[in-house]
Amino acid sequence: RDRQQPARVLNDSMGDTDMSEELFEPRNIIVTGGCGFIGSNFVHYVVNNHPDVHVTVLDKLTYAGNRENIAGLPADRVELVVGDICDAELLERIVPGCDAIVHYAAESHNDNSIADPEPFLRTNVEGTYCLLEACRKHDVRYHHVSTDEVYGDLALDDPARFTEETPYKPSSPYSSTKAASDMLVRAWTRTYGLRTTISNCSNNYGPFQHVEKFIPRQITNILCGIKPKLYGDGLNVRDWIHTEDHSSAVWAILTKGRYGETYLIGADGEKNNIDVLHAILEGMGKAADDFDWVRDRPGHDRRYAIDSSKLRRELGWKPKHTDFAQGLASTIEWYRENEQWWRPAKESTEAKYKAQGQ
Ligand code: NAD
Ligand code: DAU
């Protein structure tokens, strides 16, 4: 296999792309951040769909990580290593012999990055650097999970959506550290020939999402008898994708993606915040105006929108969860049924928001 570029020649216009071929067949993967929201959903996805793959989860178990997220998965398929991606000695112990690292671990919440950017610099930038160095030393394939926020935002009336060619223009401390980490990946690819891919995905929803994030916060507020909180004028647009579709896209990129390439992941799910909130209120039997307007997020990005045609065309990926109302209803149901999972984080999260006027 050509180390700079997988062997497959892509030629869609000739109709000769074999979408079913998997070019890279990992058996042992490390999933960083596998006890967080999206990482743990990916671990479940791999266990359920790829029986030959063993997963080592490397997770520091910060406030956002929860070992319960992967509890009950077979011990011979999933191992949890509690540790920091910035710990080079630990990486030296677990990276040799693995086939790939799929890197989800991050400080992921914009509001936290505005209150205190330091952990974002450390985990998102230095942590990525440590993983890249470990991959370089041990010749390990690396997939980097990033965000559409690196592209900044779009106006509400802009007909454009983000593509792989959109220039980087991050707005928040969070998104600027993610952008920096993407740049490190590109440099390590070009300079050292590392076998990498990058994916930039839009807003995820689904089970196991921390109660600090928009959708779980509003659902659990209602379950607690607290009014939902809407920032600014409520017209900011996010492009929602179910987290299981994010997982299938990452798997497709890991196994079939061309080295050195970036793929945008999105499911054509643009909605403004007030419409999403109205859907939650209606789904939970509340009046449409039963919420509080609160202070806006400083530097709040107006709109994100993903054009995922490269991923669909080259790798044959498509989302399964195309009915947002149905996906939201099952997410509401999941939070209703799993109060013991979210309850311990609820009070402190709301106290933090309250102190910020949100
Ligand atoms: P999350 O905050 O729910 O989980 C992050 C996980 O990383 C936690 O388990 C935490 O314990 C772990 N972690 C944090 N610092 C660590 C460190 N130094 N060493 C080891 N583990 C550490 O995040 P998420 O929402 O699941 O996001 C996962 C990834 O996906 C992030 O890279 C994020 O930028 C990206 N992403 C998220 C979204 C979204 O909508 N949430 C969309 C696109 C991309
Ligand atoms: O686009 C991908 C990004 O999506 C990821 O990179 C981030 O890790 C992830 O957190 C998410 O970022 P957002 O800032 O878009 O998500 P959040 O859930 O924080 O907010 C979604 C929208 O809802 C945003 O416009 C702010 C608004 N909001 C948020 C909260 C928590 C509210 O109106 N009220 C709230 O209480």
Side-chain angles (χ1 to χ4, degrees):
R1 183 177 295 149
D2 179 343
R3 305 192 61 73
Q4 300 304 313
Q5 211 56 255
R8 180 174 50 175
V9 176
L10 294 159
N11 191 345
D12 288 314
S13 60
M14 303 289 287
D16 62 357
T17 302
D18 178 359
M19 305 261 194
S20 64
E21 187 190 5
E22 289 199 356
L23 293 166
F24 175 69
E25 294 179 338
R27 289 289 174 264
N28 286 298
I29 63 174
I30 293 175
V31 175
T32 71
C35 290
F37 163 45
I38 307 179
S40 65
N41 275 286
F42 180 74
V43 175
H44 282 265
Y45 175 84
V46 172
V47 168
N48 292 335
N49 294 283
H50 300 285
D52 297 335
V53 178
H54 181 272
V55 180
T56 302
V57 170
L58 172 57
D59 199 300
K60 190 178 171 183
L61 297 180
T62 67
Y63 80 94
N66 188 340
R67 60 172 80 234
E68 285 300 308
N69 296 10
I70 54 168
L73 293 176
D76 60 337
R77 303 283 315 281
V78 180
E79 180 193 4
L80 171 60
V81 175
V82 178
D84 193 328
I85 55 170
C86 300
D87 183 345
E89 279 177 23
L90 171 61
L91 295 180
E92 196 52 40
R93 287 204 299 280
I94 67 170
V95 172
C98 88
D99 301 317
I101 293 181
V102 184
H103 177 36
Y104 286 92
E107 288 293 337
S108 69
H109 193 39
N110 276 297
D111 293 318
N112 292 345
S113 81
I114 294 165
D116 180 13
E118 197 276 337
F120 290 73
L121 267 296
R122 185 169 150 71
T123 286
N124 299 0
V125 183
E126 188 185 334
T128 298
Y129 160 75
C130 292
L131 292 168
L132 289 170
E133 281 294 83
C135 287
R136 176 159 83 98
K137 186 162 175 200
H138 299 288
D139 189 21
V140 167
R141 164 94 170 86
Y142 175 89
H143 178 71
H144 186 71
V145 177
S146 191
T147 169
D148 59 358
E149 296 194 16
V150 299
Y151 301 113
D153 62 353
L154 298 160
L156 295 182
D157 60 356
D158 190 335
R161 299 192 290 174
F162 298 140
T163 72
E164 288 78 5
E165 277 69 50
T166 304
Y168 274 40
K169 196 165 152 290
S171 317
S172 73
Y174 161 68
S175 55
S176 61
T177 59
K178 291 297 289 187
S181 69
D182 292 11
M183 293 302 154
L184 293 182
V185 179
R186 290 182 183 191
W188 262 242
T189 308
R190 175 162 169 163
T191 306
Y192 303 116
L194 222 66
R195 290 171 294 147
T196 70
T197 38
I198 299 176
S199 55
N200 297 82
C201 188
S202 59
N203 284 63
N204 284 222
Y205 73 99
F208 297 115
Q209 187 168 30
H210 196 275
V211 292
E212 70 191 352
K213 302 292 185 347
F214 180 58
I215 289 180
R217 184 182 184 204
Q218 314 314 337
I219 296 170
T220 55
N221 272 6
I222 294 170
L223 292 174
C224 291
I226 304 169
K227 286 191 183 202
K229 313 290 179 200
L230 194 59
Y231 295 176
D233 63 6
L235 296 180
N236 304 66
V237 169
R238 297 296 182 261
D239 191 349
W240 294 99
I241 181 172
H242 193 280
T243 191
E244 193 186 357
D245 287 329
H246 188 179
S247 294
S248 65
V250 167
W251 184 262
I253 297 164
L254 177 69
T255 55
K256 299 193 276 187
R258 287 184 290 146
Y259 301 149
E261 291 290 313
T262 288
Y263 295 88
L264 263 54
I265 306 174
D268 301 331
E270 278 189 72
K271 291 192 185 345
N272 70 33
N273 293 339
I274 196 160
D275 286 349
V276 173
L277 181 55
H278 281 152
I280 294 170
L281 287 162
E282 192 186 339
M284 299 183 74
K286 295 284 175 190
D289 61 353
D290 198 3
F291 66 89
D292 292 330
W293 297 97
V294 294
R295 187 174 76 89
D296 205 359
R297 171 184 288 170
H300 196 174
D301 279 339
R302 198 58 167 158
R303 169 176 164 245
Y304 305 139
I306 289 271
D307 176 350
S308 61
S309 37
K310 176 179 174 182
L311 172 65
R312 294 171 192 243
R313 193 180 60 244
E314 284 194 9
L315 306 185
W317 174 85
K318 54 177 193 291
K320 204 168 80 179
H321 300 269
T322 48
D323 183 342
F324 181 74
Q326 198 177 64
L328 188 62
S330 48
T331 303
I332 292 171
E333 200 47 36
W334 190 87
Y335 282 89
R336 273 194 203 286
E337 286 174 359
N338 289 280
E339 183 172 344
Q340 84 296 342
W341 181 87
W342 55 262
R343 178 60 78 176
K346 185 65 184 167
E347 203 178 318
S348 57
T349 303
E350 284 309 306
K352 206 151 73 175
Y353 275 126
K354 194 169 177 201
Q356 293 171 182
Q358 292 175 318

